């Protein structure tokens, strides 16, 4: 990579879960101020702001949120450019990439990137409508498809093609809940057993309640800076060494292969190439496990394991604590929670803590290279970032 | 605007009207304005064709947590249907009376009521599938 480099110098997110006592703007302000404090930046140092959020209009009746959130942080008088980014589940990851590009282009030296969603205190119908708005409304949802049902079709195809078992899917949830139990900011902090997953009420066969990420409230924020100013922000910097984004057909029905997400493959290839790393170098990854099946697709399409081996690899502990690459040490979307727009930013927060060596009792030992992977819908958008510790 | 409120303006949704590329003969459903293979060469060179409504189940799932408007039908079967002309279509397989639906099963399209708009009370229709 030539030219300017972006660094993460501040990272924070709110506890994920139900935050009925906090308004939308309070959640973002909490995360934003904590990230700014972590970085040690002043309001007047900030050049630009991005925020990733999927559905404020449907969930809280508010669009035009970038200026609103900047105002909430007490920064309206700086008159900064503030932009909202949306790509369903990938909204946070795309907002982060916009921040990285603003720094690389020379347009900014310090960028604040937030992500948030407030989803739990609305009706089930509104929640369902929002989740479904990331799939094709006219040609999937209208005919009875839900986001979970489409993922169930992917799971069944993966099972038929690669011999993936129901128990292997369950192993993803068991692993991520065990990880979440060590994360004080996670929505679910209790280990679960395979039996819990298998006996949960069905959602769309073979997926049950414990195969699906929960709905959550939460906000996350990171501060990015350029190499020109990184030295003034202390020794906590983590380098963003690769950034890749890709897309695919919105409808699952238009894919030649249901069991690989091409957008993930392309985004990963671009990010690894830019970073000059090979997949074997990756120590820790935060991947988009909106469903148990999507973690299997992710570890395969990111190249951590061979295609079709995601299930056995999970059962054998190759993606768990002490494995080849520790996947979702935070608990992932499954246990940390999934306030949609916040997820992509929370992934970067988690990696930043591991690469700084400050992830307390869930610290991945000697973590040097981390990968963040964030997707939208059934993989029509994917964004992958490579982060490296600076020592 | 919700989908139900504009369904009447899109006849393709209930009569399986597809597009055929004059350059490569590929058939697309939903119909396209540009063929993804031929791109520029296909513009102005696409004709309307109607799908036969015959196909096979590519993959299916039993849905227990319904899409809004489908609550009364749970559990219902949702499938990807491989049509004989090529396009794959997402839809419900109905009237199979407890008989398991499996990949490879032959199906045919039927025209059915899909639901109604909660606010406006407008009933809307579309394609579902039954075992052939
Ligand atoms: Zn063509």
């Amino acid at each position: 990579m030539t030219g300017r480099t972006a660094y993460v110098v501040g990272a924070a997110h709110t506890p994920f879960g139900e935050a009925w006592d906090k308004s939308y703007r309070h959640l973002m302000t909490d995360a934003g101020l904590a990230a700014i404090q972590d970085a040690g930046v002043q309001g007047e140092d900030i050049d630009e702001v991005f925020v990733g959020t999927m559905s404020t209009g449907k969930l809280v009746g508010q669009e035009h949120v970038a200026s609103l959130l900047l105002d909430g942080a007490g920064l309206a008088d700086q008159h900064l450019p503030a932009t909202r980014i949306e790509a369903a589940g990938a909204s946070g990851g795309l907002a982060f990439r916009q921040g990285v590009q603003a720094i690389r282009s020379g347009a900014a030296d310090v960028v604040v990137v937030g992500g948030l969603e407030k989803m739990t205190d609305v009706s089930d119908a509104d929640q369902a409508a929002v989740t479904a708005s990331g799939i094709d409304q006219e040609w999937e949802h209208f005919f009875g498809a839900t986001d979970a049902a489409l993922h169930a079709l992917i799971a069944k195809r993966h099972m038929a093609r690669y011999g993936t078992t129901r128990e292997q899917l369950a192993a993803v949830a068991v692993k991520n809940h065990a990880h979440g139990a060590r994360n004080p900011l996670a929505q679910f902090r209790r280990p679960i057993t395979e039996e819990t997953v298998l006996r949960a009420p069905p959602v769309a066969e073979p997926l049950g309640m414990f195969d699906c990420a929960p709905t959550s409230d939460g906000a996350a924020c990171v501060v990015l800076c350029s190499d020109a100013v990184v030295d003034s922000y202390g020794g906590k910097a983590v380098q963003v060494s690769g950034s890749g984004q890709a897309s695919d057909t919105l409808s699952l029905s238009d894919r030649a292969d249901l069991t690989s997400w091409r957008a993930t493959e392309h985004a990963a290839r671009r990010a690894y190439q830019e970073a000059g790393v090979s997949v074997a170098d990756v120590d820790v990854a935060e991947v988009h496990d909106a469903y148990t099946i999507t973690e299997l697709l992710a570890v395969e399409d990111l190249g951590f394991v061979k295609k079709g081996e995601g299930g056995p690899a999970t059962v054998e502990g190759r993606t768990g604590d002490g494995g080849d690459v520790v996947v979702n040490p935070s608990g992932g979307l499954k246990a940390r929670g999934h306030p949609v727009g916040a997820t992509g930013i929370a992934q970067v927060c988690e990696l930043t803590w591991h690469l700084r060596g400050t992830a307390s009792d869930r610290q991945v030992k000697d973590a040097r290279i981390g990968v963040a992977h964030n997707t939208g819908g059934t993989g029509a958008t994917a964004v992958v970032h490579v982060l490296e510790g600076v020592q | 605007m919700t989908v139900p409120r504009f369904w009447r303006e899109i006849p393709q949704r209930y009569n399986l009207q597809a597009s055929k590329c004059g350059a490569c003969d590929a058939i697309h459903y939903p119909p396209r304005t540009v063929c993804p293979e031929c791109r520029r060469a296909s513009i102005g060179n696409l004709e309307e064709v109607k799908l036969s409504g015959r196909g096979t189940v590519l993959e299916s799932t039993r849905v227990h947590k319904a899409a809004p408007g489908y609550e009364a039908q749970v559990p219902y079967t949702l499938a990807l249907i491989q049509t004989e002309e090529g396009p794959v279509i997402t839809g419900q397989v109905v009237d199979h009376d407890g008989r398991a639906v499996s990949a490879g099963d032959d199906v045919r399209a039927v025209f059915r009521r899909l639901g109604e708009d909660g606010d406006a009370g407008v009933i809307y229709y579309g394609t579902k599938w039954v075992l052939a």
Side-chain angles (χ1 to χ4, degrees):
Chain A
M1 195 172 67
T2 55
R4 289 160 56 94
T5 304
Y7 294 86
V8 178
V9 290
H13 70 78
T14 65
F16 285 3
E18 286 179 349
W20 293 9
D21 57 331
K22 297 264 185 187
S23 74
Y24 179 83
R25 64 185 85 188
H26 280 127
L27 278 174
M28 192 67 252
T29 304
D30 285 354
L33 294 181
I36 287 170
Q37 190 171 18
D38 182 41
V41 295
Q42 305 296 321
E44 49 272 25
D45 299 333
I46 301 167
D47 297 314
E48 184 153 10
V49 172
F50 295 96
V51 57
T53 185
M54 177 182 180
S55 207
T56 54
K58 189 88 181 175
L59 290 166
V60 294
Q62 179 74 60
E63 307 290 12
H64 202 179
V65 296
S67 324
L68 179 153
L69 293 169
L70 197 62
D71 188 4
L75 293 169
D77 64 350
Q78 300 294 308
H79 307 292
L80 299 174
T83 308
R84 175 222 179 136
I85 310 289
E86 188 281 318
S91 299
L94 260 60
F96 181 73
R97 184 172 147 84
Q98 291 303 309
V100 169
Q101 290 184 322
I103 289 194
R104 288 180 173 179
S105 72
D109 280 315
V110 177
V111 175
V112 173
V113 188
L116 82 160
E117 219 73 55
K118 186 149 171 62
M119 318 177 69
T120 68
D121 47 2
V122 301
S123 71
D124 285 354
D126 278 351
Q127 278 178 7
V130 166
T131 309
S133 63
I135 63 174
D136 193 320
Q137 284 290 297
E138 277 188 72
W139 300 103
E140 295 182 320
H141 191 49
F142 184 77
F143 292 99
T146 61
D147 191 57
L150 296 177
H151 284 86
L153 293 169
I154 295 170
K156 284 191 75 175
R157 205 79 209 129
H158 202 275
M159 293 165 107
R161 180 147 174 203
Y162 297 112
T164 301
T165 65
R166 180 69 190 91
E167 289 73 21
Q168 289 168 354
L169 290 170
V172 173
V174 171
K175 170 181 75 71
N176 289 348
H177 276 261
H179 288 178
R182 297 179 306 187
N183 181 356
L185 299 176
Q187 183 165 1
F188 298 117
R189 297 190 295 275
R190 229 179 267 162
I192 56 167
T193 62
E194 178 188 285
E195 201 188 351
T196 306
V197 184
L198 300 182
R199 293 175 105 187
V203 174
E205 297 172 29
L207 306 178
M209 280 253 281
F210 273 85
D211 290 279
C212 311
T215 50
S216 321
D217 304 329
C221 188
V222 294
V223 179
L224 285 161
C225 79
S226 71
D227 36 358
V229 300
V230 68
D231 290 341
S232 51
Y233 293 107
K236 295 189 292 188
V238 164
Q239 185 186 346
V240 184
S241 56
S243 175
Q245 182 186 330
S247 53
D248 204 342
T249 66
L250 191 67
S251 287
L252 188 65
S253 58
D254 288 332
R255 311 266 176 86
D257 177 4
L258 302 183
T259 58
S260 289
W261 281 3
R262 301 294 181 213
T264 293
E265 294 175 347
H266 284 280
R269 182 177 46 75
R270 290 166 190 161
Y272 298 163
Q273 205 161 46
E274 218 177 62
V277 301
S278 98
V279 68
D281 302 328
V282 179
D283 303 306
V284 53
E286 285 282 310
V287 310
H288 199 90
D289 62 323
Y291 301 90
T292 49
I293 180 63
T294 52
E295 178 164 317
L296 299 190
L297 296 189
V299 297
E300 293 171 1
D301 297 336
L302 290 166
F304 299 157
V305 303
K306 284 205 192 88
K307 195 67 214 170
E309 287 185 5
T314 305
V315 170
E316 289 159 15
R318 288 161 57 195
T319 57
D321 218 7
D324 305 338
V325 48
V326 184
V327 176
N328 286 329
S330 66
L333 283 60
K334 183 70 195 71
R336 178 182 50 212
H338 184 33
V340 179
T343 285
I345 304 295
Q347 293 177 325
V348 173
C349 291
E350 180 73 12
L351 293 177
T352 299
W353 298 328
H354 286 278
L355 296 169
R356 284 177 178 173
T358 60
S360 66
D361 57 350
R362 66 181 189 282
Q363 175 68 42
V364 173
K365 200 166 166 283
D366 301 326
R368 203 176 58 80
I369 296 179
V371 164
H373 163 255
N374 192 201
T375 61
T378 49
T381 299
V383 56
V384 173
H385 283 95
V386 179
L387 277 73
E388 295 188 44
V390 182
Q391 250 84 52
Chain B
M1 184 159 70
T2 62
V3 168
R5 286 181 202 137
F6 61 76
W7 77 276
R8 280 173 201 280
E9 284 81 64
I10 305 177
Q12 299 92 327
R13 196 178 283 132
Y14 49 87
N15 68 8
L16 290 181
Q17 205 176 83
S19 62
K20 181 177 179 181
C21 174
C24 74
D25 286 344
I27 293 176
H28 294 105
Y29 181 89
R32 290 184 174 269
T33 44
V34 177
C35 169
E37 283 79 36
C38 307
R39 301 201 187 106
R40 187 179 298 261
S42 69
I43 295 171
N45 198 9
L46 292 154
E47 59 169 322
E48 272 181 16
V49 292
K50 199 164 180 306
L51 301 181
S52 69
R54 285 187 294 272
T56 56
V57 174
L58 202 60
E59 200 53 85
S60 72
T61 175
R62 291 287 282 170
V63 180
H64 296 261
K65 268 199 88 181
Y70 288 81
E71 293 86 352
Q73 300 173 38
V74 292
Y76 59 86
T77 300
L78 184 85
L80 293 173
I81 307 298
Q82 173 74 62
T83 64
E84 63 179 6
E85 293 88 351
V88 176
I89 299 179
T90 308
Q92 274 181 298
V93 179
V94 295
D95 300 348
H96 55 90
D97 303 322
R99 201 187 124 190
V101 174
S102 307
D105 285 351
D106 290 327
V107 289
R108 66 181 168 80
V110 290
F111 178 66
R112 290 286 168 84
R113 174 189 157 121
L114 287 182
E116 62 188 77
D117 188 305
D119 301 325
V122 177
I123 297 168
Y124 49 98
Y125 297 88
T127 303
K128 297 190 182 189
W129 304 83
V130 295
L131 293 171

